[in-house]
């Protein structure tokens, strides 16, 4: 007997876009049900296209978490933008995230114009994030404003990733816009990102917590090696290098008497152990690579 209309399995790729700090990475983690994208109050935190995989009975959604599209000031910024452009043309749905507690501004309009220019045939969706922060009337007003920005034919979904409100509604709306097709990944797989990339991102996130504005763009993390202990195969030794651009930044990351770096190690270790399911010992070292964001050779060496 044939399936009832609308019950066929759907699968495809979706990309969340929006200004910095609009809740894109938090939303990715909420939909996947695990931490696979780093979240930070700092703009331009995401550096890689991390794919999160959402498994449901009726659909599989692959979330592509890109760096935010922005007006680049460095070679790194240019390369991150190129990464975003490539992604836009390859996904099935682009979901624009706008927070409920912020007015729509020139940055939002610029992103919408870029998306429509770069991916005119890709399905667009509006997502009003952080609805737990405002009243229902404010949510309603923002839904109307986003609908006017994107056009009345575009669906707009309100959501709170932190509280889990409307998360499943968003999954269903995105799934309805995907083509019918088989699952791309086996059940239970949450990301196709290499473990070393995830480790580096989580160390970066821990290092960015509570630091001054000058650091976020200047910090890169490279995993040098991961070793299993012979006497204890359930324990991994992870050696990581944190690169900054200036000696003053090195001092910020290390902190007085090494206190900050120790704190970074403790926080990152907990996150990594949670994701990998094994115990690890983190060896962190901080190095200065002068102006690496503007140097093509150093960018390549650091994985950009």
């Amino acid at each position: 007997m044939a399936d009832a209309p609308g019950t066929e399995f759907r699968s495809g790729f979706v990309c969340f876009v929006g200004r910095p700090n609009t809740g894109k990475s938090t939303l990715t983690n909420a939909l996947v049900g695990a931490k696979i994208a780093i979240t930070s109050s700092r703009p331009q935190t995401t550096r890689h296209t991390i794919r999160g995989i959402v498994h449901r009975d009726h659909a599989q959604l692959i979330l592509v978490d890109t760096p935010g599209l922005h007006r680049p000031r460095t070679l790194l910024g240019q390369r991150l933008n190129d990464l975003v452009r490539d992604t836009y043309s390859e996904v099935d749905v682009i979901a624009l995230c706008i927070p409920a507690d912020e007015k729509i501004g020139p940055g939002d309009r610029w992103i919408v114009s870029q998306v429509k220019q770069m991916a005119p045939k890709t399905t667009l969706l509006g997502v009003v994030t952080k609805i737990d922060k405002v009243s229902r009337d404010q949510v309603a007003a923002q839904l109307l404003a986003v609908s006017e920005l994107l056009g009345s034919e575009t669906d707009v979904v309100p959501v709170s990733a932190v509280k889990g409100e409307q998360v499943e509604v968003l999954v269903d709306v995105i799934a309805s816009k995907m083509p019918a097709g088989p699952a791309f990944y086996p059940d239970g797989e949450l990301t196709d990102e290499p473990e070393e990339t995830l480790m580096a991102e989580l160390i970066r996130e821990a290092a960015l917590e509570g630091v001054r504005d000058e650091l976020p763009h200047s910090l890169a993390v490279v995993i040098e090696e991961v070793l299993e202990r012979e006497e204890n195969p359930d324990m991994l030794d992870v050696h990581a290098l944190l690169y900054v651009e200036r000696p003053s930044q090195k001092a910020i990351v290390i902190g007085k008497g090494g206190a900050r770096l120790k704190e970074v190690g403790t926080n990152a270790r907990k996150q990594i152990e949670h994701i990998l399911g094994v115990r690890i010992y983190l060896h962190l070292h901080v190095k200065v690579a002068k102006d690496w964001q503007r140097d093509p050779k150093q960018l390549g060496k650091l994985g950009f």
Side-chain angles (χ1 to χ4, degrees):
M1 195 175 84
D3 285 345
T7 60
E8 70 262 74
F9 192 86
R10 293 177 177 273
S11 56
F13 295 78
V14 58
C15 173
F16 291 125
V17 302
R19 286 180 289 106
N21 311 327
T22 52
K24 301 183 292 291
S25 296
T26 307
L27 197 49
T28 294
N29 294 336
L31 290 172
V32 174
K35 181 158 187 167
I36 55 108
I38 73 169
T39 57
S40 168
S41 58
R42 304 283 171 199
Q44 289 306 304
T45 303
T46 307
R47 288 266 174 84
H48 296 275
T49 52
I50 293 176
R51 289 194 164 99
I53 303 153
V54 180
H55 302 272
R56 295 295 184 270
D57 291 340
H58 64 303
Q60 186 181 84
L61 311 176
I62 295 94
L63 313 182
V64 186
D65 187 44
T66 66
L69 192 64
H70 63 296
R71 294 180 175 90
R73 290 194 301 272
T74 62
L75 183 58
L76 171 65
Q78 220 171 299
R79 288 194 180 174
L80 293 178
N81 268 4
D82 291 342
L83 199 64
V84 177
R85 284 193 177 88
D86 292 345
T87 305
Y88 284 1
S89 56
E90 290 168 4
V91 297
D92 300 288
V93 173
I94 294 174
L96 174 73
C97 297
I98 294 182
D101 61 343
E102 291 176 31
K103 278 191 160 50
I104 291 170
D108 301 302
R109 292 188 185 92
W110 182 76
I111 288 169
V112 172
S113 71
Q114 292 291 306
V115 168
K116 288 185 172 176
Q117 192 184 315
M118 286 183 232
K121 292 178 181 170
T122 306
T123 301
L124 195 57
L125 174 71
V127 183
V128 173
T129 58
K130 308 183 185 183
I131 60 170
D132 55 296
K133 292 192 166 188
V134 297
S135 69
R136 288 188 170 203
D137 287 349
Q138 283 171 282
V139 172
Q142 191 72 320
L143 287 170
L144 199 61
V146 174
S147 185
E148 282 173 12
L149 175 70
L150 299 179
S152 57
E153 72 289 348
T154 305
D155 286 339
V156 184
V157 182
V159 70
S160 166
V162 171
K163 300 273 171 131
E165 286 176 52
Q166 293 268 115
V167 169
E168 287 310 308
V169 172
L170 181 61
V171 169
D172 289 342
V173 171
I174 296 171
S176 73
K177 299 181 182 306
M178 293 297 174
F184 291 95
Y185 293 92
D187 205 21
E189 203 165 306
L190 299 181
T191 181
D192 70 353
E193 197 65 25
E195 286 180 352
E196 290 191 7
T197 306
L198 274 175
M199 286 189 221
E201 288 287 278
L202 289 166
I203 293 166
R204 239 179 104 244
E205 178 184 47
L208 288 175
E209 279 310 303
V211 294
R212 283 180 233 158
D213 291 340
E214 67 160 3
L215 194 56
H217 304 284
S218 309
L219 183 68
V221 178
V222 175
I223 303 295
E224 280 213 300
E225 57 180 356
V226 179
L227 304 168
E228 263 184 26
R229 290 195 179 179
E230 279 180 35
E231 73 281 5
N232 185 1
D234 293 331
M235 183 87 173
L236 295 178
D237 277 299
V238 178
H239 296 261
L241 280 174
L242 286 77
Y243 285 95
V244 291
E245 293 190 304
R246 294 190 293 281
S248 61
Q249 294 169 339
K250 182 177 179 179
I252 292 170
V253 176
I254 293 172
K256 196 175 179 186
R260 249 208 114 250
L261 191 61
K262 191 178 176 187
E263 193 184 324
V264 168
T266 303
N267 294 342
R269 180 181 55 76
K270 286 177 190 166
Q271 296 279 7
I272 295 168
E273 287 182 341
H274 181 67
I275 284 180
L276 300 189
V278 293
R279 288 178 60 223
I280 67 160
Y281 188 86
L282 262 185
H283 305 261
L284 302 180
H285 298 281
V286 187
K287 275 192 165 183
V288 177
K290 194 170 183 292
D291 292 332
W292 67 263
Q293 292 184 80
R294 291 172 173 78
D295 181 341
K297 199 174 170 187
Q298 293 200 88
L299 276 175
K301 188 180 159 195
L302 297 177
F304 298 104

